Amino acid sequence: MNEELISAKNKAEESDRLKSAFLANMSHEIRTPLNAILGFSSFLKSPEHPRERINEFVDIIHSSGHQLLSIINDIIEVSQIEAGHISVTIDDVNITKLLNELFILFNKDASAKNLELILNINRSADDIITRTDGTKIRQILSNLLSNAIKFTHEGKVEFAARVAKDNVIFYVKDTGIGIDPDDQKYIFEPFRQVETTITRNYSGNGLGLSICRALVEKLGGNISVNSIPGKGSTFTVTIPYESDEKEVKRDDRERPVLRKNSKYNWMNHIILIAEDEMNNYKFIKEMLSSTKVKILHARNGKEAVEMVKTHPEISLVIMDLKMPEMDGYKATEMIKEMRPKLPVIAQTATVYFNNDEVKKAGFDEYLSKPIEFNEFMEVIDGFLDN
Ligand code: ADP
């Protein structure tokens, strides 16, 4: 009994120590981009900087913001995982297409470090299509690819997927610094790796691989590493292969049809923006300013419903979810009762909003905050007639 108590006490102390080390490292990881944002934004007002310098500052502010966002996403993800709240959305996923997209995305980062990025797929073979959660696969592979590029200084990073019996096997292989055999058993555990000196030399919060492992296991698969220090590492992910030839139904088929159009001229349209935060409203208005669209503003769900009632000429609604008096869910329900065909696009700060929830709540589409300009314009354009 005494021994059990001592072991439990040691475990609790160990966990406490790891969490303190994690918080100290995290504080550094958060302060770094925040310093850049505060520092460089204060330069924007001073008149002596030429235009090129200002552009450079804006780029730094922008990329630091993204860095901060990815840290926040990781922290939220880990807390969701620890609370047992990961949900999966299973659909047909074209793995080949997904790998091609990742190649385009990561080729820039690899080239910037003079590394060769190789996507090893058989281009004459059929696409690999399996039923799984595409967002999670993308997240797992993105994490592995960004690690591979981060920890490799010369040579190449190669990735691929193949079907073997009942599994889809992915690998991400690099010619980087490798991982010590003693550390290999820890790297998939949260909080652990932040202690190692390796993590101190490279930026990172030490959460990526633990998130990968939790997501892979949720998909019914497993992840492993094979690595030789100084030579490189290969991460292998295996998930069940489930193909369903007949299955072509996609949930977005039931939504209003998206029409593509490249130039944005919406002068004949009125868009209602339901948003209580003034700065968010101004930001959306600014993004729309070049399109000549007319804009109405509602500061809560109740006002939004009233405006849809009194302005039948409204073509589209952009709906914040969290608002005073009446939230975006209730407002959308009432708007859809009045005008079922009026497109309502949710904008949400919740990372875990997924396609199923969108449909259930009656929205036609959703945009996650922070809203990305190109995606925003494409989504809206898809719902507006010219
Ligand atoms: P982070 O990269 O943010 O520190 P991860 O959980 O993604 O956190 O990785 C944990 C640790 O595993 C890293 O800090 C690094 O020491 C090691 N590691 C992960 N991927 C690689 C790789 N491709 N090559 C060498 N070391 C790696």
Side-chain angles (χ1 to χ4, degrees):
M1 182 62 192
N2 234 352
E3 262 174 36
E4 269 177 41
L5 275 178
I6 290 169
S7 144
K9 178 174 162 280
N10 286 345
K11 242 182 158 172
E13 279 172 0
E14 164 87 341
S15 152
D16 202 41
R17 198 170 51 75
L18 291 169
K19 286 201 177 163
S20 301
F22 168 77
L23 286 176
N25 183 44
M26 201 50 103
S27 162
H28 170 259
E29 288 296 316
I30 291 173
R31 274 167 204 274
T32 310
L34 209 48
N35 270 340
I37 292 170
L38 293 175
F40 284 101
S41 58
S42 69
F43 292 157
L44 295 182
K45 270 196 172 165
S46 69
E48 77 257 27
H49 296 295
R51 186 72 230 170
E52 318 82 81
R53 298 288 292 154
I54 295 283
N55 283 346
E56 212 179 293
F57 299 160
V58 170
D59 285 346
I60 295 172
I61 293 168
H62 199 84
S63 74
S64 303
H66 272 283
Q67 203 180 330
L68 207 50
L69 181 67
S70 90
I71 294 169
I72 291 166
N73 283 344
D74 276 0
I75 297 172
I76 295 173
E77 186 94 34
V78 163
S79 65
Q80 295 277 338
I81 288 168
E82 295 228 320
H85 287 161
I86 352 177
S87 62
V88 286
T89 310
I90 302 294
D91 209 338
D92 281 336
V93 177
N94 187 327
I95 298 290
T96 312
K97 199 165 149 224
L98 195 151
L99 294 184
N100 275 312
E101 285 167 15
L102 288 173
F103 178 83
I104 294 168
L105 210 65
F106 283 93
N107 201 25
K108 262 195 263 150
D109 296 347
S111 314
K113 284 188 75 180
N114 264 331
L115 301 173
E116 192 185 357
L117 183 66
I118 301 167
L119 170 55
N120 197 350
I121 46 169
N122 181 354
R123 302 206 178 260
S124 55
D126 285 344
D127 284 2
I128 301 172
I129 297 172
T130 186
R131 289 188 67 70
T132 187
D133 185 324
T135 310
K136 297 213 164 28
I137 296 287
R138 183 184 292 272
Q139 204 177 340
I140 294 160
L141 294 176
S142 298
N143 243 316
L144 296 179
L145 283 167
S146 78
N147 273 348
I149 293 170
K150 178 162 81 175
F151 294 107
T152 304
H153 302 296
E154 57 181 4
K156 58 189 184 188
V157 171
E158 186 180 322
F159 68 116
R162 68 188 160 87
V163 175
K165 280 205 207 139
D166 298 333
N167 291 316
V168 183
I169 303 174
F170 301 88
Y171 73 79
V172 177
K173 186 174 169 186
D174 64 59
T175 55
I177 60 168
I179 305 161
D180 201 89
D182 286 343
D183 290 332
Q184 286 179 23
K185 48 185 176 299
Y186 295 130
I187 55 172
F188 295 105
E189 288 179 22
F191 309 127
R192 277 280 182 181
Q193 50 275 40
V194 287
E195 283 189 310
T196 67
T197 49
I198 293 174
T199 356
R200 298 267 186 245
N201 294 329
Y202 296 84
S203 68
N205 54 36
L207 295 176
L209 287 179
S210 68
I211 294 173
C212 281
R213 185 177 66 178
L215 297 182
V216 170
E217 286 175 357
K218 191 77 190 175
L219 298 179
N222 57 63
I223 181 167
S224 61
V225 65
N226 204 319
S227 179
I228 302 173
K231 285 237 149 54
S233 314
T234 304
F235 285 84
T236 308
V237 170
T238 304
I239 58 158
Y241 175 53
E242 278 174 50
S243 79
D244 188 350
E245 248 70 271
K246 310 175 292 305
E247 186 72 68
V248 277
K249 186 171 96 3
R250 291 278 301 277
D251 59 355
D252 49 5
R253 295 286 145 82
E254 291 159 35
R255 299 202 207 142
V257 184
L258 286 175
R259 275 172 301 273
K260 272 235 164 297
N261 209 324
S262 55
K263 52 182 184 317
Y264 306 117
N265 181 346
W266 303 327
M267 65 183 300
N268 299 324
H269 292 285
I270 299 182
I271 291 182
L272 171 65
I273 303 171
E275 171 63 78
D276 58 321
E277 295 278 345
M278 219 37 207
N279 282 344
N280 287 348
Y281 165 67
K282 279 190 196 159
F283 177 61
I284 296 175
K285 198 169 155 218
E286 189 56 41
M287 285 199 286
L288 291 170
S289 63
S290 65
T291 68
K292 303 196 181 84
V293 71
K294 287 179 207 69
I295 291 172
L296 293 174
H297 180 202
R299 271 156 301 191
N300 58 52
K302 221 164 144 192
E303 271 187 30
V305 175
E306 279 308 310
M307 283 182 164
V308 169
K309 212 181 282 174
T310 49
H311 293 274
E313 66 284 11
I314 290 174
S315 331
L316 183 139
V317 182
I318 297 173
M319 182 70 79
D320 186 24
L321 294 185
K322 237 177 95 196
M323 285 185 293
E325 289 205 50
M326 183 191 286
D327 67 23
Y329 292 98
K330 181 73 194 157
T332 301
E333 193 187 315
M334 294 177 72
I335 287 172
K336 286 285 181 179
E337 265 169 32
M338 279 185 284
R339 290 188 53 192
K341 291 223 170 102
L342 176 64
V344 180
I345 298 173
Q347 39 148 346
T348 163
T350 317
V351 192
Y352 296 93
F353 208 63
N354 60 35
N355 279 346
D356 285 349
E357 286 177 49
V358 170
K359 253 180 27 185
K360 240 191 299 172
F363 297 109
D364 297 293
E365 190 51 270
Y366 73 102
L367 291 160
S368 311
K369 288 181 190 171
I371 293 173
E372 205 268 318
F373 179 76
N374 290 331
E375 185 192 3
F376 176 80
M377 300 302 269
E378 278 283 300
V379 165
I380 295 188
D381 191 49
F383 288 107
L384 295 180
D385 288 320
N386 269 315

